[in-house]
Amino acid sequence: MKYAFKKNFWLFDALLIFIYGCIGLILLMMFFSKHPTTSTNLQIFLFNPLSLFYIYNIVKRNRTNRLWYYLSGSIACFFIGGLFQDYAEGTYILALSLLIRCIYNIIRKKNNDK
């Protein structure tokens, strides 16, 4: 079991963060749109474009828990925003997959520090 936590999927993490960040850029542009249905899209909490700034750290394998705590917080904001806005079912699946990846990386980092 310890071997599974030593694997480092930095390329997968970088691609995942890049995709979520690009979706966040699109949502950010839609947030400032004049169209009434796109102006209050609370999915910006999950697909946050600020995550693009962490790609360099992932590629350089300078993995800190700050990224994963940041993403876990954005996922929590997404689910709290779900109280005020209805999301498509697929969006919840994307949020849960990112949450599982965050939890895995936090546990892996803690096990490697021991």
Side-chain angles (χ1 to χ4, degrees), residues 35-98:
H35 199 275
T37 58
T38 61
S39 62
T40 57
N41 194 349
L42 295 178
Q43 291 180 9
I44 194 73
F45 289 125
L46 175 65
F47 303 111
N48 200 334
L50 294 177
S51 62
L52 290 173
F53 293 113
Y54 288 101
I55 291 177
Y56 178 76
N57 289 335
I58 291 174
V59 171
K60 288 295 183 181
R61 298 182 188 178
N62 184 10
R63 318 246 316 161
T64 60
N65 278 348
R66 287 184 296 167
L67 167 67
W68 306 114
Y69 288 132
Y70 160 75
L71 288 176
S72 299
S74 67
I75 293 168
C77 289
F78 170 75
F79 283 114
I80 291 170
L83 299 173
F84 303 108
Q85 180 180 354
D86 292 329
Y87 300 130
E89 293 83 17
T91 310
Y92 289 112
I93 294 170
L94 286 172
L96 286 175
S97 67
L98 186 60

Side-chain angles (χ1 to χ4, degrees), residues 4-52:
F5 284 117
K6 289 186 180 181
K7 285 195 173 233
N8 191 357
F9 299 106
W10 64 270
L11 185 62
F12 176 73
D13 288 337
L15 182 67
L16 186 69
I17 298 302
F18 178 74
I19 290 171
Y20 275 80
C22 288
I23 294 170
L25 284 175
I26 293 168
L27 285 175
L28 184 66
M29 287 185 275
M30 288 173 44
F31 192 76
F32 294 109
S33 172
K34 301 267 188 212
H35 199 275
T37 58
T38 61
S39 62
T40 57
N41 194 349
L42 295 178
Q43 291 180 9
I44 194 73
F45 289 125
L46 175 65
F47 303 111
N48 200 334
L50 294 177
S51 62
L52 290 173

